[in-house]
């Protein structure tokens, strides 16, 4: 099928700025779903609030555009109630790691079979460029005009520490690997986290001396390296990409089925 | 025929009512004095293949039940004071997206952590206006275990009929009082099932296009109609819109679907109202005290009556005005600083007839408390 078979034309034009990386992630998600031959009626996309969160409306699945930071909590209700559905949760970095940080670590801890895609543009895009928990120390933002003094989370470490059983990182420059990673994440039985570095030239780049989308994309090429590469040894500042965690662990809905079984026998 | 009689707390009556109504999914976070509801459901829901989950907080509990409701399930959460405050954001989402769900608030003393183990009725206005933006909401209450059961079923029914969250406002006294409950047989109380769309697959389904009777048939997530849900102002497709005519229509729909059905939503109980010279207006546990006084004084020939409200919102103003028309004194008995008092004053003619008999120190309002207020209104002193 073509990409257009997975989107809702009624919803367009989209609201993303020229050069934004979020559209690339949407296309990759569609490709992954197509490659996996998943049925549209079986797909649920739950998002929060932010530029990233608008992705849910554009996709022709069962879609929920919810509250800032709360997408995983809504998704938990959907998934536990109908475990046979495939649930994707695209989130912004603020959405996932600031206001939604608590829901994020608890969804990971439960290992509920939901795929969280963190569209990390290192900034609050929708509200106009305030710093997020993934804005680096020293970066500029509308609320950090003298430079950010907060230290950023490492999403991969955060998700791993919280118990996610699939954790990966990729970028909008690496589209084909991103599609492959998304396929694996969706098929993984358990809580999957895919962090995608996504350029925001408008709200982040402009303020931080990298105003062109092309330059930002190139920086993903030069500043990242596959997990365990020689380059990383030479240059420890490089950001690793690839699959960090992929483990089979008891999944929440499957565990709940055991509870039902025990309950039917009485305590 | 043997009746199913049990001796249970109000919180358990609520659980039994919810299961009777067909509860499939509960998400919650422990908080006194509502915790028994979660504990009991963690035991009983899995036994009927229902889902129970203890979430990380009240925010996520509220979100989870909305998610589950959209897949076609009957859902509930239960909380108290601080937790009820946390639920407001997602409660607003349920209002805006017209998602049926039941929220139980077993009231305790507030504000803040307040009095965790004391009865109070301080959340009446929060239940009405806790969420931001203009909206209408249905809030029910009950004064004893039997009524808690019935009102819980009603809450589920009204949630489905009006596609809306319904708040069941209990209080610590009702929630924790253990008393006799005659469990209704299946079919004894009407149970309303979800209205689902009859639009066939392949034909456009509009999640927010009301039928002629104003009701909005739903389509389950995971079913054949893929649609969008958003907390943004939206059109009949569920797509965000800020067009003034669309927003205007939506706002009126959200308010009118409830406010124009006050009569259908109103539940009351009346005791000697007709010829009452002194009419007590009360609800929840406070109404037990009011009823005690009314029965007692009637036996002595005093013309006291009680109007017990079981629907607090939408406030049945016309009915209250009518019932209060011939009383000399109207005494609102409640455990707050006059949250329903103001509504009664607004509703009746000659509002100077309306007085408040209340208690706000964490103790339960007693017949003596109320009688003292009555004596003062009658110029007799305490
Ligand atoms: C409770 C609440 N607080 C704040 C906001 C305002 N708000 C909307 S989007 C957003 C941040 C968006 O940033 P991010 O999640 O990183 O996503 P992006 O827009 O960058 O894709 C904020 C603060 C809100 N909608 N709700």
């Amino acid at each position: 099928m073509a990409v257009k078979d997975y989107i809702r034309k009624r919803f367009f034009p989209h609201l993303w700025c020229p050069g934004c990386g979020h559209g690339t992630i949407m296309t990759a998600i569609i490709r992954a779903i197509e490659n996996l031959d998943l049925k549209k009626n079986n797909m649920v996309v739950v998002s929060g609030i932010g530029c990233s969160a608008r992705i849910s409306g554009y996709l022709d699945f069962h879609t929920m555009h919810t509250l800032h930071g709360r997408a995983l909590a809504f998704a938990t209700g959907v998934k536990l109630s109908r475990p046979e559905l495939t649930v994707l949760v695209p989130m912004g970095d603020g959405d996932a790691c600031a206001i939604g940080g608590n829901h994020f670590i608890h969804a990971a801890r439960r290992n509920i079979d939901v795929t969280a895609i963190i569209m990390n543009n290192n900034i609050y895009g929708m509200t106009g460029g305030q710093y997020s928990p993934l804005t680096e120390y020293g970066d500029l933002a509308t609320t950090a005009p003298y430079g950010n003094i907060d230290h950023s989370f490492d999403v991969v470490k955060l998700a791993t520490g919280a118990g996610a059983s699939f954790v990966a990182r990729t970028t909008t420059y690496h589209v084909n690997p991103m599609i492959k990673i998304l396929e694996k994440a969706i098929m993984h039985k358990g809580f999957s986290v895919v962090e995608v570095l996504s350029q925001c030239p408008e709200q982040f780049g402009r303020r931080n001396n990298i105003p062109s989308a092309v330059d930002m994309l190139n920086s993903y090429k030069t500043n990242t390296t596959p997990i365990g590469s020689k380059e990383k040894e030479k240059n420890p500042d490089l950001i690793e990409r690839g699959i960090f965690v992929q483990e089979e662990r008891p999944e929440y809905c499957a565990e709940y089925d055991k509870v039902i079984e025990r309950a039917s026998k009485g305590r | 025929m043997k009746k199913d009689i049990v001796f249970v707390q109000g919180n358990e009556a609520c659980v039994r009512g919810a299961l009777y109504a067909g509860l499939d999914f509960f998400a919650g976070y422990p908080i006194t004095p509502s915790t028994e509801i979660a504990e009991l459901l963690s035991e009983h829901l899995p036994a009927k293949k229902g889902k129970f989950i203890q979430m990380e907080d009240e925010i996520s509990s509220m979100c989870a039940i909305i998610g589950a409701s959209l897949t076609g399930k009957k859902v509930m959460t239960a909380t108290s004071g601080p937790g009820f405050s946390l639920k407001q954001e997602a409660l607003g989402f349920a209002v805006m997206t017209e998602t049926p769900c039941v929220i139980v608030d077993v009231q305790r003393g507030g504000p803040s952590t307040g009095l965790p183990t004391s009865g109070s009725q301080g959340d009446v206005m929060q239940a009405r206006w806790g969420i931001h933006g203009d909206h209408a909401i249905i809030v029910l209450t009950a004064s004893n275990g039997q009524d808690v059961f019935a009102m819980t079923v009603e809450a589920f029914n009204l949630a489905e009929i009006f596609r809306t969250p319904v708040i069941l406002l209990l209080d610590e006294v009702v929630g924790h009082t253990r008393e006799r409950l005659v469990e209704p047989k299946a079919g004894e109380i009407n149970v309303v099932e979800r209205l689902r769309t009859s639009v066939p697959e392949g034909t456009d389904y509009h999640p927010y296009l009301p039928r002629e009777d104003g009701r909005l048939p739903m389509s389950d997530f995971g079913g054949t109609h893929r649609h969008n849900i958003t907390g943004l102002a939206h059109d009949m497709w569920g797509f965000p819109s800020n067009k003034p005519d669309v927003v205007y229509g939506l706002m009126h729909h959200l308010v009118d679907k409830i406010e124009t059905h006050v009569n259908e939503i109103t539940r009351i109980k009346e005791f000697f109202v007709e010829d009452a010279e002194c009419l007590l207006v009360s609800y929840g546990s406070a109404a037990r005290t009011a009823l005690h006084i009314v029965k007692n004084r009637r036996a002595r020939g005093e013309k006291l009556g009680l109007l017990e409200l079981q629907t607090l919102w939408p406030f049945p103003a016309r009915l209250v005005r009518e019932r209060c028309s011939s009383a000399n004194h109207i005494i609102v008995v409640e455990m707050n600083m006059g949250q329903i008092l103001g509504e009664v004053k607004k509703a009746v003619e000659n509002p100077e007839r309306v007085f408040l008999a209340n208690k706000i120190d964490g103790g339960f309002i007693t017949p003596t408390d109320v009688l003292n207020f009555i004596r003062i209104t009658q110029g007799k002193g305490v």
Side-chain angles (χ1 to χ4, degrees):
Chain A
M1 290 205 277
V3 166
K4 68 171 174 30
D5 296 322
Y6 289 92
I7 60 174
R8 292 173 170 142
K9 284 190 215 82
R10 185 183 303 275
F11 239 108
F12 283 70
H14 62 69
L15 64 52
W16 294 321
C17 306
C20 173
H22 288 354
T24 310
I25 302 175
M26 182 168 87
T27 312
I29 291 173
I30 289 172
R31 286 295 176 220
I33 289 168
E34 183 182 26
N35 293 346
L36 294 171
D37 197 23
L38 298 175
K39 299 284 160 284
K40 292 206 274 186
N41 280 350
N42 231 34
M43 298 291 309
V44 179
V45 179
V46 185
S47 68
I49 296 290
C51 302
S52 43
R54 290 304 181 103
I55 195 172
S56 57
Y58 304 142
L59 293 168
D60 185 20
F61 304 125
H62 301 281
T63 56
M64 279 173 85
H65 176 236
T66 66
L67 299 168
H68 191 32
R70 317 292 177 210
L72 282 168
F74 285 93
T76 298
V78 171
K79 183 69 186 182
L80 180 57
S81 163
R82 295 280 304 269
E84 70 278 16
L85 301 176
T86 300
V87 182
L88 304 188
V89 183
M91 296 182 283
D93 42 305
D95 216 22
C97 297
I99 192 163
N102 201 33
H103 309 310
F104 181 56
I105 57 176
H106 287 280
R109 175 179 64 82
R110 287 186 195 106
N111 197 32
I112 189 161
D113 185 15
V114 161
T115 303
I117 302 158
I118 301 181
M119 303 161 77
N120 178 10
N121 56 12
N122 306 99
I123 202 83
Y124 286 173
M126 177 120 273
T127 41
Q130 301 76 29
Y131 61 91
S132 94
L134 297 183
T135 304
E136 297 285 316
Y137 181 88
D139 282 348
L140 295 173
T142 58
T143 46
Y146 306 110
N148 182 26
I149 58 167
D150 281 23
H151 296 278
S152 60
F153 276 132
D154 179 328
V155 175
V156 166
K157 285 186 184 154
L158 182 66
T160 306
S165 52
F166 183 103
V167 181
R169 180 190 287 128
T170 180
T171 90
T172 47
Y173 179 86
H174 303 91
V175 176
N176 284 328
M178 175 171 23
I179 295 170
K180 289 281 157 279
I181 284 176
L182 286 170
E183 285 172 22
K184 288 188 180 136
I186 293 168
M187 291 319 287
H188 176 75
K189 191 123 184 76
F191 190 69
S192 315
V193 178
V194 181
E195 179 191 11
V196 188
L197 306 185
S198 176
Q199 74 279 7
C200 177
E202 196 59 34
Q203 302 297 359
F204 183 86
R206 233 167 11 103
R207 289 192 181 87
N208 288 283
N209 288 327
I210 180 161
S212 123
V214 175
D215 289 347
M216 290 188 89
L217 277 168
N218 274 324
S219 77
Y220 292 155
K221 181 182 165 198
T222 50
N223 295 343
T224 68
T225 183
I227 297 170
S229 70
K230 285 241 164 55
E231 277 75 63
K232 177 77 181 172
E233 280 166 32
K234 281 183 250 158
N235 179 4
D237 287 343
L238 289 177
I239 299 165
E240 286 181 304
R241 59 187 150 76
I243 297 170
F244 294 79
V245 179
Q246 188 171 14
E247 284 172 18
E248 258 183 55
R249 288 201 216 129
E251 191 275 330
Y252 192 78
C253 300
E255 288 294 298
Y256 193 88
D257 283 342
K258 294 183 193 164
V259 172
I260 291 181
E261 206 174 298
R262 273 177 241 149
S264 69
K265 293 184 191 131
R267 270 200 288 182
Chain B
M1 216 167 71
K2 187 182 153 288
K3 283 195 168 170
D4 284 320
I5 299 174
V6 287
F7 188 67
V8 294
Q9 285 190 338
N11 281 345
E12 178 158 359
C14 174
V15 164
R16 287 172 184 252
L19 293 170
Y20 185 96
L23 176 71
D24 300 299
F25 188 103
F26 178 95
Y29 190 81
I31 185 166
T32 306
S34 75
T35 306
E36 296 84 4
I37 296 177
E39 288 174 339
L40 287 164
L41 284 170
S42 73
E43 183 180 344
H44 295 300
L45 266 178
K48 56 163 275 199
K49 294 193 165 51
K51 305 291 165 78
F52 168 92
I53 185 167
Q54 181 173 311
M55 293 294 286
E56 53 273 19
D57 56 25
E58 288 85 350
I59 301 172
S60 48
S61 308
M62 188 64 216
C63 298
I65 66 164
I66 295 170
S69 179
L70 289 169
T71 69
K73 303 293 165 70
K74 286 196 176 178
V75 303
M76 180 168 99
T77 185
T79 188
S80 184
F84 191 51
S85 294
L86 286 180
K87 288 190 194 292
Q88 299 299 324
E89 185 195 24
L91 183 57
F93 184 83
V95 167
M96 188 56 136
T97 59
E98 304 189 59
T99 306
C101 51
V102 174
I103 300 94
V104 185
D105 173 16
V106 188
Q107 296 167 94
R108 63 192 231 177
S112 191
T113 317
L115 296 164
T117 55
S118 298
S120 162
Q121 296 177 319
D123 302 352
V124 171
M125 279 297 169
Q126 185 185 21
R128 176 64 189 89
W129 288 115
I131 71 177
H132 58 277
D134 279 312
H135 65 280
I137 192 101
I138 298 177
V139 180
L140 307 178
T141 182
S143 59
N144 62 58
Q146 196 69 46
D147 289 356
V148 167
F149 187 105
M151 282 302 123
T152 305
V153 180
E154 288 286 2
F156 280 92
N157 288 349
L158 294 175
E160 294 298 338
I161 293 170
F162 294 98
R163 251 190 91 165
T164 182
V166 174
I167 297 166
L168 184 59
L169 209 53
L170 305 181
D171 59 69
E172 191 275 337
V173 178
V174 165
H176 281 165
T177 299
R178 217 168 259 283
E179 56 193 328
R180 185 184 135 102
L181 170 72
V182 184
E183 276 216 281
K185 298 254 172 297
E188 206 172 311
I189 306 181
N190 182 38
V191 169
V192 176
E193 295 308 335
R194 182 156 299 182
L195 179 67
R196 292 190 169 81
T197 181
S198 54
V199 170
E201 182 169 13
T203 309
D204 283 339
Y205 160 69
H206 302 92
Y208 296 104
L209 181 64
R211 299 197 306 194
E212 227 153 70
D213 62 0
R215 290 189 66 186
L216 294 155
M218 297 184 76
S219 176
D220 299 345
F221 265 44
T224 51
H225 298 292
R226 297 180 301 276
H227 60 281
N228 187 53
I229 298 286
T230 179
L232 288 168
H234 48 265
D235 60 17
M236 65 181 181
W237 295 93
F239 290 167
S241 172
N242 52 13
K243 290 197 191 104
D245 58 325
V246 172
V247 177
Y248 180 88
L250 172 66
M251 292 303 291
H252 270 292
H253 164 71
L254 289 179
V255 172
D256 293 351
K257 73 171 182 180
I258 290 171
E259 297 289 348
T260 60
H261 291 89
V262 181
N263 291 345
E264 212 179 317
I265 298 166
T266 298
R267 306 283 182 275
I268 54 160
K269 288 170 88 174
E270 298 183 78
F271 305 90
F272 310 103
V273 169
E274 216 151 81
D275 63 342
E277 287 166 5
C278 177
L279 181 65
L280 307 185
V281 178
S282 191
Y283 54 93
S285 62
R288 302 171 79 108
T289 295
L291 181 60
H292 177 84
I293 296 166
V294 167
K295 284 186 174 160
N296 227 295
R297 297 278 141 168
R298 275 280 164 176
R300 301 189 198 178
E302 289 180 36
K303 291 200 166 168
L304 257 69
L306 167 65
L307 173 62
E308 180 185 340
L309 303 175
Q310 295 183 301
T311 300
L312 295 181
W313 305 107
F315 189 73
R318 195 179 285 182
L319 179 140
V320 168
R321 178 193 178 89
E322 193 262 310
R323 297 296 197 279
C324 290
S325 58
S326 57
N328 299 332
H329 295 109
I330 298 142
I331 318 263
V332 179
V333 184
E334 54 185 339
M335 294 197 293
N336 57 46
M337 292 176 101
Q339 299 193 19
I340 285 295
L341 172 82
E343 296 308 303
V344 175
K345 275 184 176 282
K346 263 197 273 176
V348 302
E349 254 171 292
N350 305 327
E352 64 281 358
R353 290 180 294 153
V354 186
F355 299 90
L356 174 65
N358 69 343
K359 185 131 183 168
I360 51 153
D361 60 6
F364 183 56
I365 191 161
T366 64
T368 312
D369 293 329
V370 179
L371 284 171
N372 286 342
F373 283 110
I374 293 175
R375 287 179 64 87
I376 291 169
T377 61
Q378 293 170 342
K380 294 181 190 161
V382 179

